[in-house]
Amino acid sequence: MYRYDEFDETLVRERVAEFRGQVARRLSGELSEEAFKPLRLMNGLYLQLHAYMLRVAIPYGTLSSRQMRRLAHIASVYDKGYGHFTTRQNIQYNWPALIDVPDILDELADVEMHAIQTSGNCIRNITSDPFAGAIAGEIDDPRVWSELIRQWSSLHPEFSFLPRKFKIAVTASAEDRAAIKVHDIGLRIRKGADGERGFEVMVGGGLGRTPYIAETIREFLPERHLLSYLEAVMRIYNRLGRRDNKYKARVKILVAEDAAEFRRMVEDEWARSDKDSLDAPLDEIRRIRRHFTPPKFDRLAAESEAFDAARAARPEFDRWVKTNVLPHRQRGYAIVLISLKPIGKPPGDISARQMDAVADLAERYSFDEIRATHEQNLCLPHVRKDDLFAVWRTLDAAELATPNIGLVSDIIACPGLDYCDLANARSIPIAERIAERFADPEEAADIGELKVKISGCINACGHHHVGHIGILGVDKKGEEFYQIMLGGSGGADASLGVITGRGFSSSEIVDAVERLIRIYKANRDDGERFLDAYRRLGPETFKEALYGDAAHH
Amino acid sequence: MKAITANRLYDGVVLYVGPNGGFVERFEQAALFDEAAANAELEVVLTRDTAIASAYVIEADASGPIGREALRESIRRYGPTIRKDLGKQSEAANERL
Amino acid sequence: MATLRITDEGSVVDSQPKGEEISLAQWREGARPEAGRFSLSIPNTEDIDGLAEIVARFDGVILEFPHFTDGRAYSQARTLRERLRFKGEVKARGAVLCDQALFMARAGFDALEIGDGDPAGFIRALAAYSVFYQPAADATAPARVLRGAKREAA
Ligand code: SF4
């Protein structure tokens, strides 16, 4: 993992001191709320329905045990004993008092964490593949570049007052686990024609009111030029992004209007830029890279007898292994996913006690590493197969062993109207009820991979456009209604879901989802996923199931 | 009828304007106004910039918030619907009040 | 208008304009400065790269922040300094608040119209950070350069 040196530490401490001063000026009345709001947002502090909400950055989703323990401590001391992991690999606290926030930030700084740029019209927390350094098939470690971008983008003097927020995601695998095509900039590390390493640069993806899949504006950018190229993209966006209408202000609008012209302007800007000064020196990239050398794995056999015996003896363990454990690139190791989607509970929520349990496990069994995924789960990236049973038992005791990764109950849901000031409808109760409907693990396993994603308003924090089944909460004359979208995907085969028709009331929506699943099961080919069946059969079959006459009997 | 609601500056807690112009934490203690009086009172409330982070008028009657924003305002009044142990609906909060 | 001038020796407030001012629109209508010192004010929608020959004739440039959340002039200032190598005064006008002063200084502004803002607050804000991650238009060395220097010294 990246560890702060004195420069990183100083910058974060200076940021805390600056914010402490800003809070004091607000409390004394020197700053009005109007003037203070953008300042607190730059530090991830929102005002929600019941209280403030503090969003803490987890850069590219990586956490140490010590950091996780501190997050637990903050939850207990300054909040109400829990936190919420988001679709951007961050954690949110729902009840902090404004007067405590500078102290919370100091506590975070003690463990090399911060809330810098977790909101506001600036470059937000960089997201990446949660399996970086653990999964087979990576061209490079995306964390090296994510950290480089994190530093470059932090308190950037030119790009802190952009037309709108700006999100960058990095991946180094063919399989996209970071949803890079729905980011303002998606970077895919690849090899060039002569074997040189570089980036495919995609720009203009995004969800929200008008969703777009990102366009590739450069097939291959040599890696040493990453920062100068990002500067060129950002400068064109800062100059030309719309500022008169916040719904048209994201870079996706600029790209969608004329992608070729956007590319031309970026290339032109880049051609004239002073790359020697803007690009990071090689020794700096090497310095960062040293923080991500692989842990000292043991030399193990590929198979583990203890593990196989435990699977045979304990069907619940076996079930969990099937859904929540993935192959590791290192022989004898595995990647463990910790589901934060227990049936009938708010997706992504975790108690302080559970955070401590995960920290203990990581320390003992996973080289002190934890990852947050954009699907609101956690991951222990490097667990010996020999230890899987012990890990599972501890997780199970902490109510963290729900065997549902990738299944119908592994639902992404935004906080919705239970917390969020912008919401039109609640998300969490819908997620809870769908999960309860499909609580039977046999049935869920039979349904197979199915990504249900729920947002409480058009801002799409729950990524509903890229759900196989996407659900959008709307407000119809003061009543909650839910629109269904089908066929979305946030993976390498990214696509946007298409709205099916009229919305469903809160009491109808779970039945509607069940009808979709029934029609899928009746029509699927052997081993065919919901998404693939939808793509093969087309929307009509599914609309008929939702709205056809038969549906009413 | 109308009520005036706010979030307290230092901790964000939901407030209402009470009968003698001060803030109260529970809707049961909130004052009800007719529209003109509510708008006039809001003007006064908004000048108390160091006490609150936001304030606005809601539709309400003696039973609670009504109208289009009734659900949102009732969630503010009680707490998250999926965590009855949190917010003003929780016993801990009621003891404190 | 009270102006904070940022110099290597520190920051000072004075209300003296540095010469007369004409706008880019006036220039385009044919106005040409007589002898003496002149500044050119440029709207934040202009592409600075296209104005190289014009700004070269001026002693100062004034860039605008219609609202403090409108950050276009940061890009203009950096382009002026880093690409056009403009050596005269670059002054920020409009919504110039102390919480953005350091960003402005780093983007290349060396004069801020602070209006009735508290100069002490601005001077404090300009000193709020001692570490910067990225190169910009000011003279400060970013952390990555300092790290390299430290390694070499060791
Ligand atoms: S999608 Fe809407 S309701 Fe959900 S968290 Fe985002 S802004 Fe709030």
Side-chain angles (χ1 to χ4, degrees), chain A residues 414-416 420 422-423 455-457 459-461:
Chain A
C414 78
C420 176
L422 303 170
S455 304
C457 82
N459 287 324
C461 302

Side-chain angles (χ1 to χ4, degrees), chain A residues 26 50 52 98 418 475, chain B residues 9-10 49 68 72 75 81:
Chain A
R26 175 68 190 98
H50 315 287
Y52 290 95
L98 174 63
D418 281 299
D475 169 289
Chain B
L9 178 64
Y10 74 84
D49 186 55
R68 252 200 103 112
R72 170 195 155 95
I75 290 172
T81 62

Side-chain angles (χ1 to χ4, degrees), chain B residues 8-76:
Chain B
R8 188 157 57 208
L9 178 64
Y10 74 84
D11 62 359
V13 160
V14 173
L15 302 173
Y16 302 93
V17 172
N20 38 34
F23 290 113
V24 296
E25 288 194 29
R26 307 196 58 165
F27 181 84
E28 289 73 6
Q29 297 154 354
L32 293 174
F33 303 87
D34 65 32
E35 181 153 5
N39 290 336
E41 183 68 21
L42 179 66
E43 289 299 312
V44 178
V45 168
L46 285 174
T47 62
R48 299 172 62 184
D49 186 55
T50 53
I52 53 165
S54 76
Y56 54 93
V57 172
I58 58 173
E59 276 185 78
D61 62 21
S63 69
I66 54 172
R68 252 200 103 112
E69 302 294 337
L71 177 60
R72 170 195 155 95
E73 288 306 324
S74 105
I75 290 172
R76 286 181 75 244

Side-chain angles (χ1 to χ4, degrees), chain A residues 26-29 31-33 47-52 80 82 95-99 346 417-419 421 426 428-429 432 475 477-478 480, chain B residues 7-14 49-54 56 67-69 71-72 75-83 85-88:
Chain A
R26 175 68 190 98
L27 292 169
S28 74
L31 282 176
S32 67
E33 187 61 22
L47 182 62
Q48 296 285 56
L49 293 181
H50 315 287
Y52 290 95
K80 295 187 186 279
Y82 72 107
W95 308 88
L98 174 63
I99 45 173
L417 191 54
D418 281 299
Y419 294 99
D421 185 42
R426 284 173 291 172
I428 300 168
E432 291 181 348
D475 169 289
K477 299 201 185 90
E480 295 167 294
Chain B
N7 287 84
R8 188 157 57 208
L9 178 64
Y10 74 84
D11 62 359
V13 160
V14 173
D49 186 55
T50 53
I52 53 165
S54 76
Y56 54 93
R68 252 200 103 112
E69 302 294 337
L71 177 60
R72 170 195 155 95
I75 290 172
R76 286 181 75 244
R77 173 186 184 182
Y78 293 115
T81 62
I82 37 81
R83 285 287 302 265
D85 57 326
L86 299 176
K88 293 175 186 277

Side-chain angles (χ1 to χ4, degrees), chain A residues 183-198:
Chain A
H183 281 75
D184 295 284
I185 294 181
L187 296 168
R188 190 171 69 85
I189 301 173
R190 51 165 298 195
K191 286 268 171 71
D194 52 1
E196 190 192 1
R197 209 165 45 199

